[in-house]
């Protein structure tokens, strides 16, 4: 049985990816191979800048995306640690692996 803290963390990750626009934004950022500004993301998705910003906030809070200030701009990049920890979380929830939360915790790296 997963402990409550781990279950809450995993649930927040799944909620962050429960919106198709957020999945598209995350895929775009991951595929770009470099940090992207909000304007670059808006050009690729069919939603307004304010909507993209709201989705980026959710992705940032869940730590799938990291923000790096550059002058007056904010650039968004994928949190590389999530590439390994999220699939592990899905495996744990589905009962496929007994991984300790500390081993898959998605931490912010700077």
């Amino acid at each position: 049985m997963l402990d409550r803290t781990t279950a809450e963390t995993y649930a927040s990750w799944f909620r962050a990816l429960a919106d198709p626009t957020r999945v598209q934004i995350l895929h775009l950022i991951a595929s770009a191979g470099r940090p992207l500004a909000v304007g670059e993301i808006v050009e690729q998705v069919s939603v307004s800048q304010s909507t993209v910003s709201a989705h980026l906030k959710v992705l940032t809070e869940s730590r799938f995306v990291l923000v790096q200030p550059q002058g007056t701009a904010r650039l968004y990049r994928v949190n590389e640690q999530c590439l390994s920890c999220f699939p592990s979380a899905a495996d744990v929830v589905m009962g496929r692996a007994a991984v300790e939360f500390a081993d898959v915790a998605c931490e912010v790296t700077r």
Side-chain angles (χ1 to χ4, degrees):
M1 177 68 114
L2 287 175
D3 64 86
R4 187 66 180 185
T5 301
T6 302
E8 288 171 354
T9 298
Y10 289 174
S12 73
W13 294 349
F14 294 124
R15 270 192 309 275
L17 296 179
D19 183 279
T21 302
R22 282 196 291 272
V23 172
Q24 287 179 309
I25 291 170
L26 184 59
H27 177 75
L28 175 66
I29 295 169
S31 299
R34 64 178 176 82
L36 297 176
V38 174
E40 293 177 285
I41 298 167
V42 170
E43 289 174 3
Q44 298 295 316
V45 295
S46 57
V47 294
S48 69
Q49 182 170 343
S50 61
T51 301
V52 168
S53 294
H55 286 306
L56 286 169
K57 181 179 181 194
V58 172
L59 291 170
T60 301
E61 288 172 349
S62 66
R63 298 184 180 150
F64 282 115
V65 172
L66 302 176
V67 183
Q68 59 188 71
Q70 185 175 26
T72 58
R74 294 169 51 104
L75 300 179
Y76 295 86
R77 64 183 174 89
V78 168
N79 181 350
E80 296 294 328
Q81 288 185 338
C82 287
L83 296 176
S84 61
C85 70
F86 185 73
S88 295
D91 284 341
V92 170
V93 170
M94 298 305 291
R96 293 186 184 155
V99 178
E100 293 296 318
F101 176 67
D103 294 337
V104 297
C106 195
E107 298 296 327
V108 174
T109 58
R110 297 185 191 270

